Amino acid sequence: GASKSDGNKTSTLRLSEKFILLLILSAFITLCFGAFFFLPDNSKHKRFDFGLEDVLIPHIDSEKEASLRDKIRADHERALQEAKEKLRKSKEELKAEIQTEKTKVVEDLKKKDGPKPLPPVPMPKLVGVKDGDPGDPDTKEKRDKIREMMKHAWDSYRQYGWGHNELKPIAKKGHSTNIFGNSQMGATIVDALDTLYIMGLHDEFKDGQEWIKQNLDFSVNAEVSVFEVNIRFIGGLLAAYYLSGQEVFKVKAVQLAEKLLPAFNTPTGIPWAMVNLKSGVGRNWGWASAGSSILAEFGTLHMEFVHLTYLTGNPAYYQKVMHIRKLLAKMDRPNGLYPNYLNPRTGRWGQHHTSVGGLGDSFYEYLLKAWLMSDKTDTEARKTYDDAIEAIERHLIRKSNGGLTFIGEWKNGHLERKMGHLTCFAGGMFALGADGSPDDKAGHYLQLGAEIAHTCHESYDRTVLKLGPEAFKFDSGLEAVAVRQNEKYYILRPEVIETYWYMWRFTHDPKYRQWGWEAAQAIDKYCRVSGGFSGVKDVYSSNPTYDDVQQSFFLAETLKYLYLLFSSDELLPLENWVFNTEAHPLPVLHLVNQHLK
């Protein structure tokens, strides 16, 4: 008898189970139909469209049916693929992703109202966006030559690489690197716009603007460098907007900025190095110290993000960069120096490497420029800059036996007597920051800028091509010379010319124009090819091999700084404009800091 009562029990259970299942099913169907009929038809909600239009139409012809079956099969495949990928991921990555997803859900809930139109904000006072004729014919001739070089670089890209991120001038085809997620985002176009504009190349500018309007799309499934996309794309679009007043640039800059925000969804608010523009999932470079974020990357967002808050009225951008500043201020710094690596999960420093070259450089630059851009009201930024520079001078700046001032790198408790080409920008930074230095040290910092400019000119002068190597040493015998083969290349970098320009603006010593002209001639002689301009692999060899890349920063920075060097000071005066680290000029925001508090 026992077994019989058991049988009764299970059957009653089954009945109630069926009932519950039915309930759930009907609830689900109601939900689906409710969702389908009552949700507003708005692109933001495309997520809820499960391909239901196919399911709801009863009389599907066989073709439709086949396509539906394919669709379902494809969806299955994709789900399987995703499950496989998920399993492959480490626990750490999954945790980070879950965190990101959670935050994304919250953000999405906030976004339900759809995109708000941008508030009208007054254009900051724009000074000196026109000619800048240098006056004397000799300088004008040099300036015309720089414009001609720009036209060659642009026309070649237009012909052989249009729409790609960069150009391979020898293969005469497009080129893309992983910093742009290997997608075609027209990096050269965005980076070159403001240069075209100030050079008066207006037809070229119009072509670029048209491409951006029609083709620049940020909803691509691509993993991009947050730092590079910020300085090149957001910086380039904002500068193009301020110079030309064309709304399309502002709209695109804001669209892109919204895609970068999920990168800040980390336990500490220190952003990931990379973010997927479509999914919003972030991660760090594999090579960086134990999954750390990099000082120069998360420290080089301030200028652009302050402008984004100004233009959108959305305080999120400003809050995110101020949060980073506050977090750094609380941390203890070995020797007063900022290490190059910080872990975004734990908020602790990675390896204690410090450098004013790559990995550290623009963090210091943006402290100074945050102060300048705030019309010198952001005194906290200035104080942080002054303290950092004092520590750099004490621990990293040395004079070589031959009397050359250089900036070394702090590694594992000792100073490496090597300076990178990237570090050469610091001469210009010291000069730019001289006015407003503590304790009447303005003269001292202008002098220091001049010494760095001299050292970097020596690194150019001591090569066969008169172009500087990527890095150079200060050892017993050899000074300002590259030793290792993989440091002898020149990839069209701007930092030395940038320093010449700042030194010219602050001293008007003719040697800076002289040195700039030497560099321009060397670039034209050794880097120019029929399909554009290419980097060279060995500046100490009289017949160098090309690396076959025309970097976007060659058009954004190198040629812009050369053009400005041979223009009058009326073109983009430094009282009114601050250049981001990709040489994109942004106006000083007079009196808007009230909105930003």
Side-chain angles (χ1 to χ4, degrees), residues 198-227:
I198 65 169
M199 288 185 179
L201 294 168
H202 294 302
D203 293 345
E204 290 79 357
F205 182 87
K206 279 277 175 293
D207 277 354
Q209 180 176 338
E210 195 51 36
W211 186 90
I212 283 169
K213 196 167 142 220
Q214 304 298 340
N215 304 293
L216 188 53
D217 173 27
F218 301 120
S219 50
V220 286
N221 182 13
E223 231 184 358
V224 299
S225 157
V226 174
F227 161 76

Side-chain angles (χ1 to χ4, degrees), residues 309-522:
T309 282
Y310 174 65
L311 292 173
T312 60
N314 175 2
Y317 301 105
Y318 183 68
Q319 285 159 359
K320 300 241 186 269
V321 290
M322 287 314 283
H323 173 77
I324 295 174
R325 184 192 289 180
K326 289 187 176 76
L327 190 127
L328 285 173
K330 284 206 292 272
M331 296 183 60
D332 57 324
R333 296 179 284 285
N335 287 332
L337 296 167
Y338 291 83
N340 290 339
Y341 300 105
L342 185 88
N343 189 314
R345 290 192 188 88
T346 61
R348 294 202 187 92
W349 296 120
Q351 292 165 281
H352 285 184
H353 284 186
T354 295
S355 125
V356 191
L359 309 185
D361 50 9
S362 45
F363 164 70
Y364 304 101
E365 174 190 352
Y366 270 41
L367 289 172
L368 172 62
K369 288 179 175 179
W371 174 69
L372 290 168
M373 210 177 69
S374 71
D375 205 14
K376 305 188 179 176
T377 54
D378 183 353
T379 47
E380 178 187 55
R382 177 75 217 205
K383 170 98 179 79
T384 313
Y385 170 78
D386 290 330
D387 293 348
I389 295 307
E390 193 191 332
I392 284 169
E393 244 196 301
R394 187 173 314 127
H395 298 289
L396 304 183
I397 298 186
R398 296 285 180 269
K399 231 188 185 72
S400 73
N401 298 338
L404 296 175
T405 303
F406 67 95
I407 308 177
E409 311 215 337
W410 191 262
K411 279 198 178 154
N412 311 324
H414 76 277
L415 186 73
E416 199 179 0
R417 298 172 66 87
K418 181 166 99 177
M419 183 166 172
H421 191 289
L422 288 162
T423 316
C424 285
F425 92 96
M429 177 176 76
F430 293 139
L432 184 63
D435 188 24
S437 298
D439 323 323
D440 299 333
K441 283 171 95 175
H444 165 74
Y445 281 112
L446 201 56
Q447 176 60 28
L448 183 59
E451 288 173 23
I452 302 286
H454 172 67
T455 298
C456 292
H457 176 255
E458 285 300 308
S459 82
Y460 274 53
D461 209 45
R462 296 176 185 191
T463 69
V464 173
L465 303 185
K466 304 295 179 212
L467 290 169
E470 181 68 4
F472 41 95
K473 281 226 148 82
F474 294 88
D475 286 336
S476 42
L478 290 171
E479 295 192 348
V481 171
V483 183
R484 292 161 51 181
Q485 193 52 47
N486 64 354
E487 289 172 346
K488 294 181 174 177
Y489 59 85
Y490 172 70
I491 57 170
L492 307 170
R493 286 203 190 277
E495 293 77 20
V496 174
I497 293 165
E498 173 182 351
T499 280
Y500 294 163
W501 173 63
Y502 278 110
M503 292 309 302
W504 164 257
R505 277 277 171 108
F506 291 115
T507 68
H508 291 117
D509 183 332
K511 75 177 175 200
Y512 296 116
R513 275 187 169 168
Q514 184 46 47
W515 292 353
W517 186 240
E518 284 169 22
Q521 286 178 297

Side-chain angles (χ1 to χ4, degrees), residues 79-91:
L80 268 173
Q81 197 48 41
E82 275 174 12
K84 274 186 201 154
E85 275 172 20
K86 277 271 188 294
L87 286 173
R88 258 191 246 123
K89 286 195 172 141
S90 67
K91 212 157 139 194

Side-chain angles (χ1 to χ4, degrees), residues 145-153 520 523-524 528 533:
K145 174 62 187 168
I146 307 299
R147 187 197 278 115
E148 184 277 327
M149 288 165 72
M150 176 69 179
K151 198 161 162 33
H152 177 61
I523 290 168
D524 203 52
R528 186 179 185 129
F533 289 86

Side-chain angles (χ1 to χ4, degrees), residues 150 154 187-197 552 555-556 584:
M150 176 69 179
W154 174 266
T188 295
I189 300 175
V190 181
D191 235 357
L193 279 169
D194 52 7
T195 308
L196 293 170
Y197 192 88
S552 83
L555 294 84
H584 296 307

